[in-house]
Amino acid sequence: MEEQYAIEVSNVKKKFRIFYDKGNDLKERILFRKRNYYEDRWVLKGISFRVKKGEAVGLIGHNGCGKSTTLKLLTKILYPDEGEIKLSGRVSSLIELGAGFHPDMTGRENIYTNASIFGLTRKEIDTRLQEIIRFSELEEFIDNPVRTYSSGMYMRLAFSVAINVDANILLIDEILAVGDTNFQKKCFDKLREIKAHGTTIVIVSHALEQIEQICETSYWIENGLIKDSGTPKLVHDRYLKSMEEKRNQQLTIQHEEEQKPEEKPELPAFCEKTAIRMGTGAVWFTHAEMQNLQKEKQYIFRTGEQIRLILEYETETDGLQGNFGYGIFREDGLHCYGTNIFIETGKCIALQRKGRIEILFRNELLPAKYFLDIAVHSHDGIIFDDIRQVLTFAVTSEKQDIGVSRQETTFSWG
Amino acid sequence: MEIGKELYAYREMIFSLVRKDLRGRYKGSVLGFLWTFINPLFQLIVYTIAFSFILPSPIEKYYLHLFVALIPWIFFSSSLQGGANSIMAAKNLVSKIYFPREVIPIAYVTSCFVNMLLTFVIIFLVVMISGVGLNALAIATLPLIMITEYIMALGLALLFSAVTVFFRDMEHILSIITMAWIYLTPVLYPLDMITNETIRKLFYLNPMTAVIEAYRDVLYYARVPEMNTLLVSFLFGIIILIFGELVFSKLKKRFAEVL
């Protein structure tokens, strides 16, 4: 291995044996021999990367993509089926905190046990003891049995031991969520300090911004392969975008499934099957549809995108005046917006036997699932037709702003 | 040899596991660590009463005859049975953290060993009180006997702890084996009770025979054991240890996947 690298992973593959129906004892093995089938599942299909000494890298990817397996291979808990992993120096892993803690022993005794599992000698532990206790902020409790600790105290002690091992390589799995916010910040600062001292760090996390803050490189693992790597922020943007697209696909599928028949007879096909209809029926909607500006039917809109709402109606009565309106509710019932022709223009419109209304609005709502309500009233408030939850739609956004709807914001400074 | 270096680096882990085991065992009980001595003491008292009044034995001071062999045997059999289960019992550590896996069975056997050493305090006391007396030259061979037994127990614990992970029935098979093994070793009776010459020779194929005999020579007869047989046992122990470690190192890579 070249001098400058601390970790070298070359073309590593790992498979797990998945038993469909594991018959473990002899009876089952003989009686159900055919059932004893298993499948080799390749969790890692050939991963290679190198980490320079003193560098920090992040591994990202959705659940089950193989990032935790990679970390376990690095710690040598698992061994690769193919390929090679080389590490130089002492490795400490923050994968399992508080390994070997004995509840009846004191905090101090447990520090010795726990640190010894990381391969420290008694002398080494002695020199670190004060720092470990100081960092854990457990000075008053250190000679009490660990079983009297709160879970937060327990984790603080465990973290303090693990992080004070002075490893050359530190492997971290999703555990920067220790204790309260203060302690978390402290842990993070400590990580930076350790890194500044030349420790190589590998982090597996879903907290992308943490990786962005500390790592030089991010590896995006998908289906057991490295899909993308580079500057964390850039990789993460691409990763988030792809996750977004996947979610949208699912939403569309889900939406179409929800649209499938089994509707109540009184509800026409354009309505969601959960819709609720009211009104005298003097005027009735025959169609409702949400479109994008290109006049294509659409259920998913971005924040800031223009939405066209098409409503069609029929009536058998001549000379009616009507007031059309729509309302938007968030999935949790929050009334986000509502307006009608009278509010917007100050008058109602004369209805024909068959007519069509086009409503154009700019969607400023933030990502969530929404319901659309439509209604047509008479000029004096008699409800002709009112369909609650006639359509559902979803909003997505690339921006991370939060709340109900977007407020166009500019920052300036000088 | 790599493993030796690594185990040396992890020596504190072995010590702390042994400490944890020895102290954790009686933690919370009123008498605490004293139980380590009380247990064998009462065991001895029971044997003395039983074999003096209920089931008198023609062997002189049978309780001592039995006791000096039984304590080492208990060390051996508990190392074998508990040691075989040790990796399974340390599942959480093994599947979550890296350390040389040998640490676990080593710590287990060592903790049994230390327990035996502590019991030897009682044995020495009884040996002196009973009037047998201690032969200094004989006592000098005791470390060799103990080390021989230790490496045999360790070799087997390594072997079976690794095998048990993949073949869980081993645990139950071993309990039967150890049950039978105690009768194939002169623990409960002296070897010369077996009158058939051929069968008696066969007993020496059992490596534990020489070890138990040696203990009895030193502590019951107060004489130096036969060194040749002891050395053969020692070499045999080394072979078991090497074989156990070979199998263990082969199997240990897949522990985390199976546990």
Side-chain angles (χ1 to χ4, degrees), chain B residues 149-166:
Chain B
E149 193 186 8
Y150 178 81
I151 55 175
M152 265 196 244
L154 181 59
L156 292 175
L158 282 169
L159 173 67
F160 290 119
S161 64
V163 171
T164 306
V165 172
F166 299 93

Side-chain angles (χ1 to χ4, degrees), chain B residues 182-230:
Chain B
I182 190 171
Y183 293 102
L184 297 174
T185 312
V187 176
L188 306 172
Y189 52 86
L191 197 55
D192 31 347
M193 240 175 77
I194 294 155
T195 41
N196 187 322
E197 187 75 16
T198 340
I199 294 183
R200 195 162 65 222
K201 285 227 169 86
L202 281 176
F203 263 72
Y204 279 98
L205 288 178
N206 168 9
M208 277 305 284
T209 300
V211 172
I212 293 295
E213 291 253 276
Y215 274 113
R216 192 170 278 146
D217 278 339
V218 174
L219 298 164
Y220 181 77
Y221 296 108
R223 66 183 179 212
V224 177
E226 211 179 307
M227 290 310 279
N228 282 344
T229 1
L230 196 55

Side-chain angles (χ1 to χ4, degrees), chain B residues 52-196:
Chain B
S52 306
F53 303 111
I54 305 168
L55 195 72
S57 165
I59 298 160
E60 201 189 335
K61 293 192 183 112
Y62 179 72
Y63 64 93
L64 190 63
H65 188 275
L66 172 65
F67 198 58
V68 299
L70 193 61
I71 295 303
W73 175 261
I74 287 172
F75 156 62
F76 182 76
S77 66
S78 58
S79 296
L80 192 58
Q81 283 189 271
N85 217 18
S86 60
I87 297 284
M88 299 279 297
K91 203 179 216 172
N92 281 331
L93 280 187
V94 173
S95 59
K96 299 280 172 55
I97 292 209
Y98 175 78
F99 52 85
R101 272 54 175 117
E102 285 83 352
V103 163
I104 298 283
I106 290 176
Y108 189 88
V109 173
T110 307
S111 128
C112 293
F113 186 70
V114 173
N115 223 20
M116 175 179 83
L117 289 183
L118 292 169
T119 314
F120 261 74
V121 174
I122 304 285
I123 291 187
F124 283 137
L125 272 175
V126 175
V127 166
M128 283 188 296
I129 292 168
S130 68
V132 169
L134 296 169
N135 173 346
L137 193 61
I139 295 291
T141 62
L142 208 48
L144 179 65
I145 305 171
M146 287 176 167
I147 290 169
T148 304
E149 193 186 8
Y150 178 81
I151 55 175
M152 265 196 244
L154 181 59
L156 292 175
L158 282 169
L159 173 67
F160 290 119
S161 64
V163 171
T164 306
V165 172
F166 299 93
F167 181 58
R168 310 273 159 107
D169 306 43
M170 206 62 226
E171 193 191 339
H172 309 292
I173 294 173
L174 274 177
S175 75
I176 294 172
I177 291 179
T178 42
M179 184 189 68
W181 203 340
I182 190 171
Y183 293 102
L184 297 174
T185 312
V187 176
L188 306 172
Y189 52 86
L191 197 55
D192 31 347
M193 240 175 77
I194 294 155
T195 41
N196 187 322

Side-chain angles (χ1 to χ4, degrees), chain A residues 62-115:
Chain A
H62 59 81
N63 291 332
C65 70
K67 56 188 191 309
S68 288
T69 304
T70 310
L71 208 64
K72 282 191 172 173
L73 287 166
L74 288 177
T75 61
K76 289 195 282 182
I77 294 172
L78 298 174
Y79 290 80
D81 288 304
E82 278 176 46
E84 206 182 3
I85 295 176
K86 287 186 198 159
L87 300 163
S88 73
R90 172 186 271 161
V91 180
S92 169
S93 65
L94 273 65
I95 293 178
E96 174 74 359
L97 289 177
F101 270 24
H102 193 298
D104 282 335
M105 294 198 175
T106 68
R108 193 186 300 272
E109 288 169 320
N110 273 307
I111 290 177
Y112 279 94
T113 314
N114 191 222

Side-chain angles (χ1 to χ4, degrees), chain A residues 258-278 283-288 297 312-314 374 385-391:
Chain A
E258 280 171 11
Q259 285 289 56
K260 279 187 184 135
E262 201 221 314
E263 65 219 64
K264 296 180 196 129
E266 65 266 47
L267 284 177
F270 68 87
C271 295
E272 290 281 2
K273 62 181 181 210
T274 53
I276 300 160
R277 193 166 200 177
M278 290 170 287
V283 183
W284 63 91
F285 288 109
T286 53
H287 190 61
K297 196 168 169 179
E312 284 168 12
Y313 69 90
E314 280 179 27
I374 53 173
D385 195 2
D386 182 336
I387 312 178
R388 305 269 163 88
Q389 304 187 7
V390 61
L391 296 175

Side-chain angles (χ1 to χ4, degrees), chain A residues 14-16 72 75-79 93 95-96 99-102 104-105 109 112-113 116-122 125, chain B residues 6 8-13 16-17 19-20 23-24 27 92-99 101 252-254 256-258:
Chain A
K14 179 74 193 166
K15 68 177 175 206
F16 287 125
K72 282 191 172 173
T75 61
K76 289 195 282 182
I77 294 172
L78 298 174
Y79 290 80
S93 65
I95 293 178
E96 174 74 359
F101 270 24
H102 193 298
D104 282 335
M105 294 198 175
E109 288 169 320
Y112 279 94
T113 314
S116 74
I117 293 173
F118 289 111
L120 263 59
T121 62
R122 189 156 193 98
I125 302 171
Chain B
E6 219 188 344
Y8 181 72
Y10 276 83
R11 61 192 180 280
E12 181 57 27
M13 182 175 178
S16 82
L17 285 179
R19 249 196 322 268
K20 196 169 95 174
R23 294 178 50 189
K27 201 105 193 178
N92 281 331
L93 280 187
V94 173
S95 59
K96 299 280 172 55
I97 292 209
Y98 175 78
F99 52 85
R101 272 54 175 117
K252 69 176 177 183
K253 296 190 171 185
R254 288 188 49 231
E257 285 172 48
V258 186

